[in-house]
Amino acid sequence: MANMAGNENAVLSRAIIMFRKPARRWVLLAAVATIIVVQLTVLLRTSPDKLAGYAETVHKYKPEIHSNAGLLNALYNQRLPPQESGRKKCSEIMIPKSYWTTTAASTPAFVTIPDVGQINVDDTVCIRVVVPARKQRVHMAYTPFPNTPWDSVLLDLVGQRTGVSVPVHLQPVIDIRNTFRDESHVYEADVRLRDVDGYRAEGYVEFRDALWNCDGELAPADYIPEPLHIPSTLRVDVVDPQKTSAYDLERYMELPLCTDLDVEGRWVSIDALPFNTDLVPPPDDHGRVWLPYTCRLRRIKYNEFMQCLKRQYPLMHWFGDSNLRRVLKKLTTCGDWCGTSDEHQTRPCICEDYKEEFTPFNATYRELIIDFDETGGQMQTDKDADFLHVPDNQTRIYFHKWEGLSSKNKPVWHNSFEESVTGRFGIPAVAMISLTNWDAAFDTRAHFALELERLFDIVKQEYPPTTELIIRTGQYFCCRSDYDPPDTRAFSRLRNAYFDQYVVAAFQEHTTDPEATSVQYIPGP
């Protein structure tokens, strides 16, 4: 199950792009945004699992055969008869009444594929998970966000040959019984499979009773995953009889370079790639590489990247936490910082770098001006320098270190805008704003929503339509609870994901400029 923790299509960081006007430079901006969000995985080769700090043993859970195997077999064997043509969506497949009446006393949580069998490339298959009611032990203090599930279920479909790992984005079935805490819950998803392989489900129940959402003063719940019963016969085979699939890995290098920020993809075992692996981003710690379905990513050399910035984005504003600061460290040193395999696993490279001595700039400063050329970057220390104009043949980044929009900011985050940022440091070509890491960890979503509205007003006042905005959402978190004193973080995979979704939806709602295109988000690899 080592595939699982990185497979939400949003691993280290996510970003959304909002174009304020039809952009002639959108292809280059896509490359720039991709480089920024890829930096920590591609160049540090640190997997999201390591960043989350989870223990490998979490993924050692195996499906258990319940003592009442006869009843369980009867439940998951309630499938459709073979279909002569086409595939049915979940919404078209009846849910057996027994799913709603079963209890944890007689049946563990289980996975079922009602229309199991062989499918063609690009077909969908309906996946369901049933979490039986646990009447004797119910936690009453925690509640989910509106229209979110009681249970947090982590599930992937994993190719047995290629290692392709496809996340299953389960949603509660629309049924009144799914709204009650102490009833059985049924979740489903239509999963599109594009790679030829035989797929098996891997996963577990992370939390019941909304324990994934420790909003407010609630303490994080213990992370004790509950195994899912996954029958050994539950397998989906994807075939390509005509050998015409556009998603065949043999044809991957024929795809055009990615120019869109909102692209789907999958994790693939680096050993399964039938081409020179130096042509794609390096693998994570589990030997997997992120490959989009319809376009390809490539490695970009630092000097090439700096030349691109100098031509198209000579001035940028960055607002972010230590995650974005570590990206700056990679850029200022042209990849030398944390550049060796021995350094990859050290705490400064993974998470805590604020105490580290770093020559190009002082990591403890709240505001930094850093000037770059092809050889690297250096903090501007001349107090009499002209901060409104970028030096010739250089790129400048104004970086503001903050803790999201959370109450942990001292002073409060919006104080930085009381004296106009653009008035002090110029109008940038790009403004990048990182959110949700600290917000999900330390604030309620209600407080975050209020602060986000304040941010919308400030951004509208500060940045003209010529400035392109990148909203960079939080890192992927999975597979443990955070009890580290003194600041216990309210992290969980599902809570973080819903904060990210809230940001995306909020920016979509506030995209009212008639010349603006739709808000897009880019998953980090």
Side-chain angles (χ1 to χ4, degrees):
M1 287 192 149
N3 294 297
M4 305 205 40
N7 291 339
E8 287 277 331
N9 281 6
V11 267
L12 274 179
S13 55
R14 294 189 257 194
I16 54 177
I17 275 287
M18 179 164 60
F19 294 101
R20 294 293 192 82
K21 61 179 183 178
R24 290 173 293 178
R25 300 177 294 174
W26 68 281
V27 172
L28 284 172
L29 184 60
V32 172
T34 301
I35 279 289
I36 290 169
V37 299
V38 163
Q39 287 295 324
L40 287 177
T41 296
V42 171
L43 299 170
L44 295 182
R45 301 192 186 191
T46 301
S47 74
D49 313 324
K50 290 290 185 182
L51 286 171
Y54 86 103
E56 282 285 345
T57 52
V58 169
H59 289 299
K60 300 300 183 183
Y61 286 95
K62 299 293 184 182
E64 295 179 350
I65 300 298
H66 200 269
S67 57
N68 196 342
L71 173 60
L72 188 57
N73 289 337
L75 281 169
Y76 75 71
N77 279 328
Q78 297 182 69
R79 306 183 186 127
L80 287 178
Q83 301 297 308
E84 293 185 2
S85 62
R87 308 294 298 182
K88 289 201 172 187
K89 302 288 188 181
C90 286
S91 59
E92 303 173 297
I93 301 174
M94 180 188 68
I95 299 175
K97 292 181 180 179
S98 55
Y99 287 7
W100 300 105
T101 58
T102 185
T103 66
S106 61
T107 309
F110 64 91
V111 180
T112 181
I113 302 179
D115 197 6
V116 73
Q118 191 177 90
I119 66 173
N120 291 321
V121 168
D122 222 18
D123 278 348
T124 62
V125 62
C126 174
I127 311 291
R128 283 188 177 138
V129 172
V130 180
V131 182
R134 189 172 58 186
K135 301 289 186 180
Q136 303 303 317
R137 185 159 51 96
V138 178
H139 297 274
M140 302 300 294
Y142 298 76
T143 56
F145 295 132
N147 302 314
T148 64
W150 287 101
D151 311 296
S152 176
V153 180
L154 180 59
L155 190 68
D156 286 349
L157 289 182
V158 180
Q160 303 303 290
R161 177 179 57 85
T162 62
V164 167
S165 188
V166 181
V168 180
H169 300 293
L170 294 163
Q171 297 295 323
V173 170
I174 300 176
D175 189 288
I176 188 63
R177 288 164 288 194
N178 258 346
T179 65
F180 298 118
R181 183 191 301 267
D182 58 351
E183 293 291 335
S184 293
H185 302 138
V186 181
Y187 304 99
E188 64 185 17
D190 293 304
V191 182
R192 187 173 301 279
L193 296 174
R194 298 176 173 90
D195 293 281
V196 174
D197 209 333
Y199 294 84
R200 296 189 186 278
E202 295 185 6
Y204 45 79
V205 180
E206 296 183 290
F207 297 102
R208 287 176 178 253
D209 304 331
L211 290 174
W212 58 267
N213 188 31
C214 43
D215 210 39
E217 299 299 320
L218 294 170
D222 291 337
Y223 193 84
I224 307 175
E226 177 184 336
L228 283 166
H229 179 86
I230 304 174
S232 59
T233 57
L234 213 61
R235 174 181 169 122
V236 179
D237 290 300
V238 180
V239 298
D240 179 23
Q242 306 301 320
K243 308 296 182 184
T244 57
S245 172
Y247 310 113
D248 193 322
L249 292 175
E250 294 281 356
R251 299 174 182 162
Y252 183 75
M253 297 309 299
E254 300 173 9
L255 294 175
L257 291 173
C258 293
T259 56
D260 192 350
L261 298 176
D262 188 4
V263 293
E264 292 185 83
R266 73 290 210 194
W267 289 97
V268 184
S269 171
I270 193 75
D271 296 331
L273 299 184
F275 48 78
N276 183 355
T277 57
D278 290 338
L279 299 175
V280 295
D284 68 5
D285 291 347
H286 296 289
R288 304 163 303 173
V289 62
W290 173 258
L291 299 181
Y293 287 118
T294 57
C295 62
R296 58 186 173 91
L297 299 173
R298 69 181 180 96
R299 303 189 194 189
I300 300 177
K301 295 179 180 179
Y302 278 96
N303 61 349
E304 182 183 353
F305 181 55
M306 295 301 186
Q307 290 171 4
C308 171
L309 292 183
K310 185 170 61 177
R311 291 194 307 269
Q312 301 294 341
Y313 309 103
L315 176 61
M316 295 183 287
H317 289 182
W318 288 16
F319 299 84
D321 56 21
S322 62
N323 184 264
L324 201 54
R325 182 177 62 211
R326 286 187 289 278
V327 175
L328 272 179
K329 288 187 174 183
K330 294 296 289 187
L331 291 180
T332 54
T333 61
C334 286
D336 288 343
W337 180 77
C338 287
T340 68
S341 57
D342 291 338
E343 291 173 325
H344 291 170
Q345 307 307 320
T346 61
R347 290 194 70 83
C349 297
I350 295 174
C351 188
E352 296 177 356
D353 66 308
Y354 62 95
K355 295 181 180 179
E356 177 192 47
E357 290 188 10
F358 186 69
T359 303
F361 63 81
N362 190 325
T364 64
Y365 284 11
R366 280 287 179 179
E367 290 187 317
L368 292 167
I369 294 290
I370 303 177
D371 293 329
F372 296 85
D373 59 23
E374 287 85 349
T375 63
Q378 189 73 34
M379 180 175 68
Q380 175 60 258
T381 58
D382 184 0
K383 294 182 179 180
D384 296 324
D386 183 358
F387 293 132
L388 290 175
H389 297 91
V390 180
D392 292 339
N393 297 316
Q394 290 191 325
T395 290
R396 171 171 287 176
I397 293 179
Y398 161 73
F399 175 64
H400 180 92
K401 166 65 170 62
W402 69 6
E403 286 71 52
L405 309 182
S406 75
S407 55
K408 290 288 185 179
N409 284 289
K410 298 188 186 314
V412 294
W413 66 270
H414 47 82
N415 278 9
S416 303
F417 293 95
E418 289 183 358
E419 184 180 353
S420 172
V421 170
T422 52
R424 289 183 292 150
F425 303 112
I427 297 174
V430 171
M432 180 161 61
I433 302 172
S434 290
L435 297 169
T436 78
N437 277 337
W438 284 73
D439 307 293
F442 297 113
D443 271 348
T444 64
R445 198 173 72 165
H447 179 266
F448 178 59
L450 292 174
E451 295 301 290
L452 197 58
E453 289 296 321
R454 187 198 299 263
L455 176 65
F456 290 140
D457 292 339
I458 289 174
V459 167
K460 185 176 180 180
Q461 294 171 7
E462 281 281 346
Y463 295 108
T466 54
T467 296
E468 293 154 349
L469 298 181
I470 301 175
I471 309 302
R472 186 174 184 264
T473 57
Q475 292 171 249
Y476 182 82
F477 182 88
C478 178
C479 313
R480 75 180 183 106
S481 293
D482 191 326
Y483 311 108
D484 295 340
D487 294 322
T488 298
R489 296 166 175 83
F491 280 151
S492 76
R493 179 188 63 87
L494 211 55
R495 177 178 168 84
N496 287 31
Y498 281 122
F499 264 76
D500 288 346
Q501 289 180 21
Y502 183 84
V503 169
V504 173
F507 268 86
Q508 288 173 335
E509 183 179 342
H510 282 76
T511 307
T512 56
D513 187 334
E515 293 187 327
T517 64
S518 62
V519 177
Q520 303 179 53
Y521 74 92
I522 177 171

